[in-house]
Amino acid sequence: MIPPTAYLDALSHIDAPSNITAARQDFLGKFLQAGLPDSHQEDWRYTSLAHLERMPLHAPEAMPETLPALEDYPGALLAYSDDRLVWQDTTLPATVLSTLSDAIGSGMPAAFGSLAGNGSLTQLNAALWREGACLRVPAGERLRQPVFLRFAAAEPDAMLYPRVFIHMAVGSDAILVENFLGDPGIEYWQNPVTEIILEAGARLTHLRIIEDSKLATHTGLTAVHQASDSSYRALNLTLGGQVARHELKLTLAGAGAEARLDGVFIVEGRRSAEQHLRIVHLAPRGNSRTFYRGLADGRGRGVFDGRVEVRAHADGSDAQQSSRNLLLSPHAEIDAKPQLEIYADDVKCSHGATVGSLDEDALFYLRSRGIDSETARRLLLEAFVGEALGLLDDTGLRDWMMPRLLARMPRSHSEESRP
Amino acid sequence: MLQIRNLHVAIGGKPILKGIDLTIHPGEVHAIMGPNGSGKSTLAQVLAGRDGYDITAGSVQYLERDLLPLTPEERARAGIFLAFQYPLEIPGVANVQLLRTALNGQRRSRGEAEMDAIDFLDYVKDKLALLGMDDSFLYRSVNEGFSGGEKKRNEILQMAVLEPRLAILDETDSGLDIDALHLVADGVNSLRRPQRAIILVTHYQRLLNFIVPHQVHVLAGGRIVRSGGRELALELEAKGYAWLSEEISDAADFMETYL
Ligand SMILES: Nc1ncnc2c1ncn2[C@@H]1O[C@H](COP(=O)(O)OP(=O)(O)OP(=O)(O)O)[C@@H](O)[C@H]1O
Ligand SMILES: [Mg+2]
């Protein structure tokens, strides 16, 4: 058990606007009562957070001395290191994009905190978040450039609680990129929460990338609320973290809302990656498409847990889920569990999940043309995950993203197969 | 250029090829015919280096070297090309990507400079025209959604791009309409060179009107039971395999009794 003093100490480090201090104490109390989720809870049965108990976790102390090296971000950028804003490069007005503390300083954004729910880790984030971002796109406005939020970890054993609030007003349109990463070789725990509200007809394209260090723990939540005819398109890439878990709670609350949720996860070594999707169709004629691809090498472990509920009165809904996965080693493991619960009429639903291995016939076909086995394997793996990457073309982010993704593709094993 | 001696191949303990002897010289075209299940594709796949076959006896020499220890890519780089009886679909890999990666892999292994995208496009467009294929085939995923005949043409396109020394065409004529058959035959004929050899696996002597072979072999029950000239194919077409069945069963009896 992490001593409560670690959390209380973290709370005392926060110079929060006084209006939320009481609320933070309340959230922390609830978290301390519930404790860390454990594997007895249905949604957590694949995950073990026991290692967190053994770490000397603490709120980051020193202000980072050096700025992290920032690669090119083709858009507006807010860069955080250890939960503090260290760099910004944006020409958007502060009423549109600002730090969360600035936004709250000039009045609590409406509906802030209303979507995240009451999971114990979410309450911990609500209690201890220190800095974050707030994006509010005014009605009818379309942001021409993507907004990048970069959350980096630099201090070993830090507990980090990035918090993001996105409000897309009626008919607005934006591209958001959230990028979580950390110094290679350090252990830390990143527990972010992002809330996204889409008003009627609003459109958000959201690229979320977990590139945390190979020793890090990432437990993230994205909660999305969609009004009528809004569109949410997401690509969730899990490329890092020793233990990486992403939960996506999405509610199609207004008629005709549409969500397209793509994802790719890659695990090797002893890494694990879990995707938990909770999609609720509340209103008629909603459309949700889930399309995930997973690769597991070494002793890697992947989980795709997708649940779609089509509630009463959500007639004419259309929900499709596809999860396809490849095991690249005999010790790798992937559990794919799509679920549908339907309580409405005239609903089109389908789900498919496969866990297989690389197609040996295709591999031979390529090699018989003179392509070496390493290249042939790479071509097939890139083609496999490529099917889930259409969003990169639609956002113009392919050139920015692909080198990072390709760097994480599993390498071939040393034992060459000879005929 | 190719010497197959007493080749025995089994799959999962079951003998499929039971002593193949075949010698092919540069510039020659050999046709292999034979009933379904007789082992023609097995022979072709073994030559291309496919895994999962047990070579239980025999040897294969190709251009003065032992072929069997080589990986499939090493064989391809040494000039062997197999047009598959059932070409694979590879979603997400564009045809042009396969062709260029393959050609450049082979060029690199020969110490030649790689071809850049623009030069490659010029190069491949001539080959496409030769086979009556339009550019759109380059950008589609390999064989995905291709018709049966288009897949076969695509195999010959790959052959035309890679310019192999020894091409093995496994029933490339099956499923082609008459115009496509002409195109494929023209494509193959245009690649005939004094130093290049071709093995045609086929069920139809019709193809041999267009690509005239030096020799025709009949493979039955895992053995070459008859070899002859062009006229052997005509005779087979007229009489079927039944007239050979005496020899086939004689051969089987002989093997069983004496080996
Ligand atoms: N992987 C395998 N496992 C078991 N048996 C196999 C396998 N591959 C081929 N065979 C068997 O080997 C025999 C020869 O097959 P092969 O494909 O070489 O025949 P073929 O002469 O090419 O026939 P066709 O004219 O129908 O193409 C067949 O009896 C086939 O069932
Ligand atoms: Mg065959």
Side-chain angles (χ1 to χ4, degrees):
Chain A
M1 176 76 194
I2 304 170
T5 48
Y7 299 112
L8 291 168
D9 182 58
L11 186 59
S12 73
H13 274 71
I14 297 170
D15 3 288
S18 53
N19 54 348
I20 58 171
T21 307
R24 285 176 181 274
Q25 282 165 349
D26 189 38
F27 282 124
L28 188 58
K30 286 179 180 149
F31 166 76
L32 290 173
Q33 225 163 28
L36 290 173
D38 66 45
S39 51
H40 299 300
Q41 284 160 262
E42 173 60 20
D43 284 354
W44 288 87
R45 68 196 182 94
Y46 298 103
T47 323
S48 170
L49 296 180
H51 61 283
L52 294 178
E53 308 276 10
R54 295 189 291 270
M55 287 168 62
L57 285 167
H58 55 82
E61 280 155 35
M63 184 68 182
E65 281 159 31
T66 51
L67 281 179
L70 293 180
E71 60 275 42
D72 246 5
Y73 284 85
L77 169 67
L78 297 186
Y80 302 79
S81 182
D82 292 333
D83 277 351
R84 275 159 295 203
L85 184 75
V86 291
W87 180 255
Q88 55 179 319
D89 180 6
T90 163
T91 53
L92 293 169
T95 49
V96 175
L97 179 65
S98 69
T99 64
L100 191 53
S101 52
D102 281 351
I104 289 177
S106 49
M108 183 65 86
F112 175 77
S114 65
L115 303 183
N118 53 10
S120 71
L121 292 184
T122 305
Q123 283 172 325
L124 185 61
N125 177 289
L128 298 183
W129 69 264
R130 191 148 163 167
E131 193 46 284
C134 182
L135 174 69
R136 287 170 288 188
V137 184
E141 207 164 294
R142 176 171 166 272
L143 300 189
R144 276 177 298 117
Q145 284 192 310
V147 172
F148 287 82
L149 305 176
R150 180 191 199 270
F151 295 101
E155 188 172 318
D157 299 312
M159 302 192 276
L160 303 173
Y161 303 99
R163 181 84 185 203
V164 176
F165 182 73
I166 311 287
H167 188 132
M168 303 292 296
V170 174
S172 61
D173 192 339
I175 298 170
L176 171 70
V177 182
E178 287 182 293
N179 190 188
F180 300 92
L181 64 176
D183 287 358
I186 64 166
E187 281 185 73
Y188 57 91
W189 175 25
Q190 180 123 255
N191 181 39
V193 171
T194 297
E195 293 174 293
I196 298 172
I197 295 172
L198 290 114
E199 291 185 356
R203 307 174 65 82
L204 181 70
T205 305
H206 183 190
L207 172 58
R208 185 183 195 278
I209 313 151
I210 300 178
E211 289 178 299
D212 283 299
S213 98
K214 284 194 159 80
L215 299 175
T217 300
H218 182 111
T219 50
L221 170 70
T222 305
V224 185
H225 184 91
Q226 292 189 246
S228 57
D229 300 314
S230 62
S231 159
Y232 177 69
R233 290 203 57 189
L235 173 59
N236 287 287
L237 301 177
T238 301
L239 309 175
Q242 167 75 38
V243 173
R245 183 185 197 277
H246 180 230
E247 187 173 331
L248 174 53
K249 296 202 308 187
L250 180 132
T251 306
L252 297 155
E258 85 174 15
R260 164 99 202 200
L261 311 171
D262 295 342
V264 170
F265 65 87
I266 298 174
V267 288
E268 75 297 306
R270 292 182 174 274
R271 296 180 41 232
S272 71
E274 296 183 29
Q275 350 290 315
H276 298 265
L277 282 76
R278 301 287 174 258
I279 300 164
V280 180
H281 286 249
L282 277 184
R285 299 185 317 283
N287 184 312
S288 67
R289 290 260 177 295
T290 307
F291 197 84
Y292 272 61
R293 293 284 180 269
L295 293 181
D297 201 0
R299 295 184 175 274
R301 183 163 178 12
V303 173
F304 173 87
D305 166 28
R307 191 166 73 216
V308 179
E309 276 177 57
V310 181
R311 298 265 176 87
H313 311 301
D315 300 338
S317 290
D318 185 344
Q320 319 283 338
Q321 280 200 76
S322 157
S323 160
R324 285 183 56 204
N325 304 283
L326 288 184
L327 300 177
L328 302 174
S329 107
H331 306 293
E333 189 181 335
I334 295 179
D335 292 284
K337 197 178 69 164
Q339 302 173 72
L340 286 169
E341 292 174 31
I342 301 168
Y343 308 100
D345 299 321
D346 185 26
V347 169
K348 266 197 285 182
C349 283
S350 75
H351 61 85
T354 60
V355 181
S357 51
L358 203 60
D359 182 351
E360 288 295 328
D361 292 333
L363 207 52
F364 172 62
Y365 188 71
L366 294 176
R367 294 175 71 193
S368 77
R369 270 54 183 142
I371 298 174
D372 64 86
S373 60
E374 170 77 40
T375 306
R377 201 177 108 103
R378 190 169 53 70
L379 281 176
L380 294 178
L381 293 182
E382 287 175 24
F384 179 77
V385 302
E387 294 185 294
L389 299 176
L391 180 143
L392 295 179
D393 293 316
D394 305 343
T395 52
L397 289 170
R398 177 170 289 271
D399 289 347
W400 178 78
M401 187 61 225
M402 279 317 276
R404 312 171 75 115
L405 177 67
L406 293 179
R408 303 295 183 124
M409 292 296 275
R411 298 278 162 259
S412 140
H413 310 281
S414 45
E415 74 269 9
E416 264 285 332
S417 61
R418 311 279 302 190
Chain B
M1 135 182 260
L2 183 75
Q3 280 101 32
I4 304 176
R5 296 234 167 78
N6 191 34
L7 183 66
H8 284 69
V9 172
I11 304 175
K14 178 182 158 208
I16 307 287
L17 299 182
K18 303 167 187 169
I20 302 279
D21 289 285
L22 184 63
T23 299
I24 295 176
H25 300 104
E28 290 182 349
V29 174
H30 287 239
I32 297 181
M33 306 183 77
N36 294 134
S38 58
K40 304 180 298 295
S41 293
T42 303
L43 177 60
Q45 301 262 334
V46 165
L47 292 176
R50 164 138 219 168
D51 247 350
Y53 297 96
D54 304 317
I55 317 271
T56 49
S59 67
V60 180
Q61 292 283 312
Y62 169 71
L63 295 177
E64 265 76 83
R65 52 205 279 221
D66 188 0
L67 183 71
L68 297 176
L70 303 184
T71 62
E73 55 269 37
E74 285 166 344
R75 297 177 196 209
R77 290 166 181 191
I80 290 183
F81 178 87
L82 169 62
F84 282 54
Q85 182 176 357
Y86 303 109
L88 274 96
E89 299 191 5
I90 309 187
V93 176
N95 226 6
V96 67
Q97 196 181 4
L98 163 67
L99 290 167
R100 195 157 84 89
T101 311
L103 181 67
N104 279 335
Q106 300 205 9
R107 290 174 72 99
R108 246 194 337 270
S109 75
R110 294 192 294 261
E112 296 167 21
E114 294 191 20
M115 243 192 235
D116 68 27
I118 294 163
D119 289 345
F120 179 75
L121 224 51
D122 284 344
Y123 174 75
V124 78
K125 280 188 175 164
D126 292 344
K127 312 282 183 180
L128 276 168
L130 190 70
L131 289 156
M133 295 169 79
D134 66 63
D135 291 6
S136 68
F137 281 102
L138 290 177
Y139 304 103
R140 289 170 64 180
S141 290
V142 176
N143 293 325
E144 194 182 32
F146 285 29
S147 76
E150 287 167 349
K151 286 182 184 172
K152 297 299 177 93
R153 264 192 269 181
N154 201 31
E155 294 290 285
I156 301 304
L157 173 67
Q158 294 176 26
M159 176 176 93
V161 166
L162 297 174
E163 302 188 324
R165 297 286 301 271
L166 172 65
I168 306 161
L169 310 186
D170 191 356
E171 293 199 30
T172 302
D173 54 331
S174 298
L176 290 181
D177 67 41
I178 192 69
D179 293 342
L181 185 66
H182 280 274
L183 283 170
V184 163
D186 289 349
V188 172
N189 281 326
S190 73
L191 287 168
R192 288 180 73 165
R193 296 282 185 284
Q195 73 280 15
R196 196 170 277 156
I198 298 171
I199 298 175
L200 296 173
V201 175
T202 181
H203 286 296
Y204 308 105
Q205 76 85 26
R206 191 182 56 174
L207 177 69
L208 309 181
N209 293 332
F210 302 114
I211 310 172
V212 180
H214 296 83
Q215 277 200 62
V216 176
H217 309 276
V218 179
L219 183 61
R223 294 184 196 98
I224 291 178
V225 296
R226 183 71 84 90
S227 296
R230 166 93 184 78
E231 62 295 341
L232 179 55
L234 290 167
E235 213 170 343
L236 278 174
E237 179 141 283
K239 301 182 184 164
Y241 290 110
W243 69 280
L244 280 177
S245 64
E246 243 169 67
E247 289 170 51
I248 296 169
S249 59
D250 284 356
D253 288 348
F254 174 84
M255 301 299 252
E256 244 131 71
T257 318
Y258 298 102
L259 301 179

